[in-house]
Amino acid sequence: MNGLKCLIIAGILVMAGCTSKQAEAPKEMPPQEVGVVMVTAEDLPVVTELPGRIDAVRIAQVRARATGILLKRNFDEGADVKEGDVLFQIDPAQLQSSLESAKANMAKADAVLKQVQVRADRFKELVEANAVSKQEFDDTQATALQAAAEVQSAKAALDMATLNLGYTEVTAPISGRIGAALVTEGALVSQAEATQLAVISQLDPIYFDFTQSSAAVLKLRRHVEEGQFQSIAPGEIKVNLILEDGTTYAHPGKLVFSGITVDPTTNMITLRAEVPNPDHVLLP
């Protein structure tokens, strides 16, 4: 009996030991969550910052085309003007007198031509009837041709006098913003010297002129040839302006011109962009 009890106690101990080892076994960890990122290919722009300056698209110098005393200025300095607006008035008295004289000469030449033409027509009938000599008829025809030439000369002088009188009203050759008047009322302006009266600048759109090194341009072309960069037409290259205060100008422009020569002193190439300027924020 004692031997059987010992065997049973030993079995219980073995089972107890097994139960203890199973309790100490580590538990399995749940699988960790893994994030997935989808990668897609897209084009990235090549951005280059370059300094430059603003230039007007067109600049027109308003000059006198008639000689006389400046009577009146018809615009506000720094204002916007339209093509054809009358900017200055030059005294027309002298040119008006020249026009009246040209009209009188035209009327005189026309009257002489009519008189000679009537005589020539009469002599044509008389020469056919042998009532006048052929020489007299030829002289009459020559006089008629000379009178016709005088009429043409008088007409040309009349047209010139009319044109010169029109120049006493100085008009704007282009639309844009006009600067300060360079002469004042009472000043004598001259056609011969083409006195400059004012300057008009077209501000919308406006040009942004800048330069880039020839080495950078060559490197960019090499990347395009190797297929690293995609070639873009000049009109499709966007240009964004960063103003002096660090802000970005609201209206992007486009590249319209690239120089074909390199400045030998700076090794730079000139480029030009056209930028909208509806509010006239950008000034030359």
Side-chain angles (χ1 to χ4, degrees):
M1 289 297 292
N2 291 338
L4 181 58
K5 289 181 181 180
C6 291
L7 180 59
I8 293 174
I9 293 172
I12 293 173
L13 292 176
V14 171
M15 291 181 64
C18 293
T19 304
S20 177
K21 289 182 180 181
Q22 289 178 358
E24 294 177 358
K27 298 181 179 179
E28 293 183 1
M29 299 296 294
Q32 296 183 354
E33 295 184 359
V34 179
V36 179
V37 178
M38 300 299 295
V39 180
T40 58
E42 62 179 10
D43 294 333
L44 295 179
V46 178
V47 180
T48 304
E49 289 192 10
L50 298 169
R53 69 177 189 179
I54 301 297
D55 288 323
V57 173
R58 290 194 296 172
I59 298 177
Q61 296 179 349
V62 181
R63 294 183 178 272
R65 303 177 69 180
T67 299
I69 301 298
L70 191 67
L71 297 180
K72 188 177 181 181
R73 171 170 61 87
N74 299 321
F75 66 91
D76 294 327
E77 296 174 319
D80 292 330
V81 296
K82 295 182 179 180
E83 181 180 353
D85 288 351
V86 178
L87 305 177
F88 296 94
Q89 177 65 56
I90 301 174
D91 186 3
Q94 182 177 356
L95 294 175
Q96 182 67 48
S97 177
S98 298
L99 177 61
E100 296 301 327
S101 177
K103 288 181 179 179
N105 291 335
M106 177 66 186
K108 180 180 179 180
D110 191 49
V112 171
L113 175 61
K114 290 179 180 180
Q115 181 182 8
V116 173
Q117 191 65 52
V118 170
R119 185 180 180 185
D121 293 341
R122 185 181 303 116
F123 269 50
K124 182 178 181 181
E125 296 176 356
L126 295 175
V127 76
E128 292 176 354
N130 293 323
V132 296
S133 66
K134 185 70 167 55
Q135 182 63 47
E136 288 178 316
F137 173 71
D138 291 341
D139 291 343
T140 304
Q141 292 293 321
T143 302
L145 292 175
Q146 184 177 358
E150 292 293 337
V151 169
Q152 293 296 324
S153 177
K155 184 178 183 303
L158 177 60
D159 292 341
M160 181 59 69
T162 304
L163 186 64
N164 288 335
L165 181 61
Y167 288 153
T168 58
E169 289 188 344
V170 183
T171 59
I174 63 173
S175 299
R177 179 165 295 181
I178 192 168
L182 303 180
V183 292
T184 60
E185 293 85 348
L188 175 63
V189 298
S190 171
Q191 176 189 15
E193 298 178 358
T195 307
Q196 185 172 348
L197 308 178
V199 177
I200 301 175
S201 300
Q202 181 179 330
L203 300 180
D204 185 26
I206 206 163
Y207 284 146
F208 176 68
D209 293 332
F210 55 102
T211 57
Q212 188 174 24
S213 67
S214 58
V217 174
L218 182 61
K219 182 179 180 180
L220 181 61
R221 290 178 178 175
R222 185 179 297 111
H223 286 327
V224 172
E225 293 174 355
E226 294 174 353
Q228 299 180 23
F229 294 160
Q230 182 180 358
S231 178
I232 302 177
E236 299 178 0
I237 298 178
K238 293 183 179 180
V239 176
N240 292 301
L241 300 186
I242 300 176
L243 304 180
E244 293 179 340
D245 59 359
T247 60
T248 301
Y249 182 62
H251 305 283
K254 61 181 180 180
L255 185 68
V256 296
F257 172 80
S258 178
I260 59 175
T261 59
V262 180
D263 189 330
T265 59
T266 61
N267 289 330
M268 304 293 282
I269 297 176
T270 301
L271 299 99
R272 168 171 287 177
E274 184 179 286
V275 182
N277 192 28
D279 302 323
H280 295 175
V281 174
L282 304 176
L283 299 176

